[in-house]
Amino acid sequence: MSKRKIYISVDMEGITGVIDWGETEGKSPDYQYFRKIMTEEVNAAIEGALEKGAVEIVVRDAHGFARNIIPDLLNENAKLLRAWASSPYSMMEGIDNSFDAAIFIGYHAKAMTAAGTLAHTMRGDILNVNMNGISLSEMGWNSLIAGHVDVPVIFISGDNLICDQAKEIIPGIETVAVKQGLGEANLNLHPNKSKLMIKQGVENALDRLDEFSPLKWETPYSLEISFKKTRLANRASWYPGAERVNDFTVSIQSENFLDCMKFFYFMH
Ligand SMILES: [Zn+2]
């Protein structure tokens, strides 16, 4: 088995059981419980990766203030990237072309997904992110960043609706839905079951690594961001090269994906 280097980006809204913002933020006692579950789900992915030849693993904590995963509970074979670096790589900080595959744990559905658990896209006042005519979740956006540095995305866990949205962007991606949205409620697997399924899903994805390729779309890129408030579109329209599409929407076109990353970075 070849030696593999694996990148894992971890959000929190799609961790088993999470249903409320208070469970994903500093002050609530429930947060302490769910960050442990979050760490354990990452460990399940790490164990799956180690089983299939991973020799280097970087875990990017990518939720809230990006200091959620509990360092000494994390599998000791991984390195943990904490806090924000103020760069357009954002939830994908630290990824480069030395990695063989990227994995997403704890991800959630995009903004305006009715039964998505805590559904949003980057910040609460973004209505939609549209790239080359296709509406993107954070998973979709982050997959394009991985593609920009030639790394394929092979696995995602989270709620059932982000799993559906992920398959639209990357057909064949291995998914594990740890919960199902029911209006504003959700129906969860037992956390132990989630961990078993995540480990197995990562192993399955790595068994078929040859079937995946980095996500790259045709140029020129056209990135449109729609906001819930015209004030934010007003501000965005001053970005160099940006065009106002309508009251709520601003776009940028470029041959270079990094230009799109910079634009989006300054919008959220
Ligand atoms: Zn988050």
Side-chain angles (χ1 to χ4, degrees):
M1 202 181 320
S2 55
K3 293 178 178 175
R4 288 163 167 173
K5 187 171 174 183
I6 307 295
Y7 182 90
I8 306 179
S9 172
V10 190
D11 207 348
M12 195 166 187
E13 294 86 342
I15 296 297
T16 305
V18 169
I19 185 64
D20 184 81
W21 286 113
E23 293 167 345
T24 76
E25 291 163 353
K27 288 191 180 131
S28 150
D30 295 333
Y31 167 69
Q32 298 303 330
Y33 170 77
F34 282 108
R35 62 192 295 215
K36 179 171 164 282
I37 303 287
M38 179 188 193
T39 308
E40 290 171 356
E41 288 191 10
V42 181
N43 281 345
I46 293 170
E47 286 160 22
L50 291 170
E51 201 70 46
K52 296 295 174 181
V55 291
E56 246 185 289
I57 299 168
V58 170
V59 173
R60 197 301 179 250
D61 192 326
H63 168 80
F65 44 37
R67 291 182 275 118
N68 309 284
I69 291 166
I70 302 167
D72 68 338
L73 293 188
L74 190 67
N75 186 300
E76 61 195 30
N77 293 290
K79 287 182 180 165
L80 176 60
L81 180 55
R82 308 180 75 226
W84 300 108
S86 302
S87 98
Y89 281 87
S90 190
M91 297 175 76
M92 301 298 282
E93 196 66 52
I95 197 165
D96 60 36
N97 64 8
S98 67
F99 288 90
D100 296 290
I103 285 169
F104 298 150
I105 300 293
Y107 269 52
H108 55 83
K110 67 185 175 187
M112 311 306 284
T113 304
T117 299
L118 305 175
H120 66 282
T121 307
M122 294 308 215
R123 56 183 272 178
D125 39 27
I126 288 180
L127 192 65
N128 191 29
V129 175
N130 205 305
M131 185 72 165
N132 292 10
I134 295 170
S135 174
L136 290 181
S137 62
E138 291 174 11
M139 175 276 170
W141 176 253
N142 290 340
S143 297
L144 285 169
I145 293 179
H148 175 65
V149 294
D150 298 314
V151 178
V153 175
I154 63 169
F155 175 89
I156 185 169
S157 68
D159 67 306
N160 62 317
L161 295 166
I162 188 55
C163 290
D164 293 347
Q165 291 168 3
K167 287 176 200 155
E168 288 169 17
I169 300 295
I170 301 181
I173 188 171
E174 195 79 32
T175 67
V176 169
V178 300
K179 56 189 164 189
Q180 190 178 0
L182 295 171
E184 293 147 80
N186 60 28
L187 179 64
N188 291 273
L189 298 180
H190 189 285
N192 292 346
K193 179 79 174 174
S194 296
K195 285 182 261 175
L196 283 174
M197 289 174 68
I198 289 169
K199 178 173 184 284
Q200 186 63 55
V202 168
E203 289 180 25
N204 294 347
L206 284 166
D207 277 341
R208 2 185 238 106
L209 184 57
D210 293 350
E211 297 171 26
F212 293 91
S213 49
L215 186 66
K216 285 179 186 292
W217 286 354
E218 273 179 32
T219 59
Y221 297 109
S222 173
L223 175 61
E224 268 187 18
I225 301 177
S226 301
F227 299 91
K228 294 176 185 169
K229 294 175 183 144
T230 49
R231 181 176 63 76
L232 294 167
N234 292 345
R235 179 179 176 276
S237 70
W238 287 97
Y239 187 89
E243 280 174 45
R244 187 72 173 253
V245 178
N246 60 39
D247 287 355
F248 294 93
T249 307
V250 176
S251 76
I252 195 164
Q253 339 286 326
S254 178
E255 290 291 327
N256 185 351
F257 186 69
L258 189 58
D259 290 337
C260 298
M261 287 170 59
K262 290 177 188 170
F263 176 64
F264 194 26
Y265 173 64
F266 280 94
M267 298 307 125
H268 71 268

